Amino acid sequence: MSTKILIIGACGQIGTELTQKLRSIYGVENVIASDIRKLNVDVVNNGPFEVVNALDFNQIEHLVELYQIDEVYLMAALLSATAEKNPAFAWDLNMNSLFHVLNLAKAGKIKKIFWPSSIAVFGSTTPKENTPQYTIMEPSTVYGISKQAGERWCEYYHTIFGVDVRSVRYPGLISWSSPPGGGTTDYAVDIFHKALSDGTYDCFLSSETKMPMMYMDDAIQATINIMQAEADNIKIRSSYNLAAMSFTPAELAAEIRSQLPDFTITYTPDFRQKIANSWPASIDDHEARADWDWKHTYDLASMTKDMLAHLKGI
């Protein structure tokens, strides 16, 4: 019997590529994409798509029952920089959408949930280098607070109700296929577009702001790997640290310059600098590598080469 999957937030930065990858694995008809509006043409036109409000429990329950859904990937969220402009809505969306799917799983209507956390759960008091899995977590953003709370609820629903919920703490994600989505790490996406279109980029972070990053291909693979792993191998039910590479805007610019010698960069830090300063510089993810055999593929050089190759071809 085929696994039936519902992706909520399928038109977002991660959702678009995750939907396509899952459809290639499980079959187009078995992966139902959904979002609050029809945004991405490929996701909407290349398989089942439903308009759904992640805050509406009845709509989600209806889709779960209609398609006899086994697994839900809850990708709907308001990201860090955007959430700071609308804290109440960000909290509502990020928390209540999670409660909806957790409660459906508690009721036996969903077998498995993927819910993404983030390095935003950490704060300025967290050790910045090789941030461990278990450490001080005092997030200073609405996004980070909601993700930290979500981690606790995921663990609670697993421990008390046996809900099979799985999660990773994404670092900054870099993708050629979708535009920046309002996150603090999104400079590392925008810089490639501007390098090709303008030959220059004005960065909203300082040159030496080092943050953990990951190419989208690796993030998608990690997401699928943790969901396909045997339940007994998932030892952490809050959220796993996940890492691939760490770099500064200056290091990224230098790598781009190796491909585009005339590229220039300037720096005009804005309110996102304070957010970035509260986050780790590098992540220790040995638990994910040990428990479910996580491995990353892309480093700074190979990611830069692949990004530019794809964007030049668009």
Side-chain angles (χ1 to χ4, degrees):
M1 188 174 174
S2 300
T3 300
K4 290 281 192 177
I5 295 170
L6 173 64
I7 303 172
I8 301 172
C11 292
Q13 185 187 24
I14 306 172
T16 51
E17 297 191 41
L18 178 63
T19 301
Q20 292 165 346
K21 185 68 172 180
L22 287 172
R23 283 175 172 169
S24 73
I25 296 170
Y26 294 98
V28 170
E29 71 284 355
N30 293 319
V31 180
I32 291 80
S34 71
D35 213 306
I36 197 165
R37 60 182 69 87
K38 294 183 178 181
L39 292 175
N40 185 282
V41 174
D42 288 339
V43 167
V44 172
N45 293 341
N46 294 345
F49 181 87
E50 298 281 352
V51 174
V52 66
N53 183 349
L55 288 171
D56 190 323
F57 177 84
N58 292 329
Q59 284 186 23
I60 297 172
E61 183 180 42
H62 172 69
L63 288 186
V64 167
E65 293 174 348
L66 178 66
Y67 289 98
Q68 297 182 297
I69 295 297
D70 300 300
E71 301 180 4
V72 171
Y73 290 70
L74 176 58
M75 312 309 292
L78 214 58
L79 299 182
S80 57
T82 311
E84 290 304 295
K85 298 173 183 176
N86 198 343
F89 176 68
W91 177 260
D92 193 20
L93 175 61
N94 295 356
M95 294 308 305
N96 285 322
S97 60
L98 175 59
F99 278 126
H100 293 338
V101 295
L102 287 173
N103 284 325
L104 285 168
K106 176 187 170 186
K109 296 186 177 185
I110 301 169
K111 295 176 183 175
K112 198 184 295 185
I113 295 167
F114 177 81
W115 175 80
S117 189
S118 164
I119 58 169
V121 297
F122 303 119
S124 58
T125 54
T126 303
K128 291 188 78 68
E129 295 290 346
N130 292 317
T131 301
Q133 175 69 42
Y134 302 104
T135 187
I136 299 165
M137 296 165 68
E138 294 184 318
S140 57
T141 64
V142 178
Y143 180 64
I145 293 166
S146 68
K147 288 299 184 183
Q148 187 195 30
E151 287 189 11
R152 305 268 49 84
W153 282 114
C154 286
E155 188 170 73
Y156 180 86
Y157 269 74
H158 173 74
T159 303
I160 304 300
F161 305 120
V163 170
D164 188 354
V165 56
R166 305 174 183 203
S167 178
V168 296
R169 292 169 180 155
Y170 288 129
L173 299 181
I174 302 169
S175 168
W176 58 268
S177 70
S178 54
T184 301
T185 57
D186 276 349
Y187 86 86
V189 178
D190 198 27
I191 191 173
F192 287 98
H193 292 271
K194 294 293 196 304
L196 289 171
S197 64
D198 304 343
T200 187
Y201 177 63
D202 186 32
C203 185
F204 55 74
L205 298 178
S206 70
S207 62
E208 299 307 310
T209 305
K210 183 182 173 187
M211 288 189 291
M213 297 285 188
M214 181 176 289
Y215 200 34
M216 186 64 78
D217 293 38
D218 279 338
I220 298 301
Q221 197 56 54
T223 303
I224 293 168
N225 286 356
I226 193 174
M227 285 293 276
Q228 291 181 337
E230 294 295 328
D232 288 346
N233 292 340
I234 308 302
K235 308 285 200 302
I236 295 170
R237 293 294 182 155
S238 51
S239 192
Y240 276 92
N241 274 3
L242 199 66
M245 51 184 147
S246 288
F247 54 77
T248 66
E251 289 169 335
L252 177 55
E255 193 61 45
I256 292 173
R257 204 172 294 115
S258 72
Q259 305 276 324
L260 303 171
D262 294 332
F263 173 67
T264 60
I265 186 169
T266 55
Y267 302 94
T268 311
D270 66 11
F271 73 99
R272 287 166 285 196
Q273 183 67 52
K274 185 176 179 181
I275 297 174
N277 289 346
S278 73
W279 290 354
S282 59
I283 298 289
D284 177 352
D285 65 348
H286 76 266
E287 284 91 347
R289 294 175 188 269
D291 290 357
W292 42 278
D293 201 28
W294 155 243
K295 298 182 184 73
H296 71 281
T297 300
Y298 287 87
D299 61 11
L300 176 57
S302 56
M303 178 272 292
T304 300
K305 185 177 179 181
D306 199 65
M307 277 288 288
L308 290 172
H310 276 102
L311 291 175
K312 285 177 183 176
I314 291 176

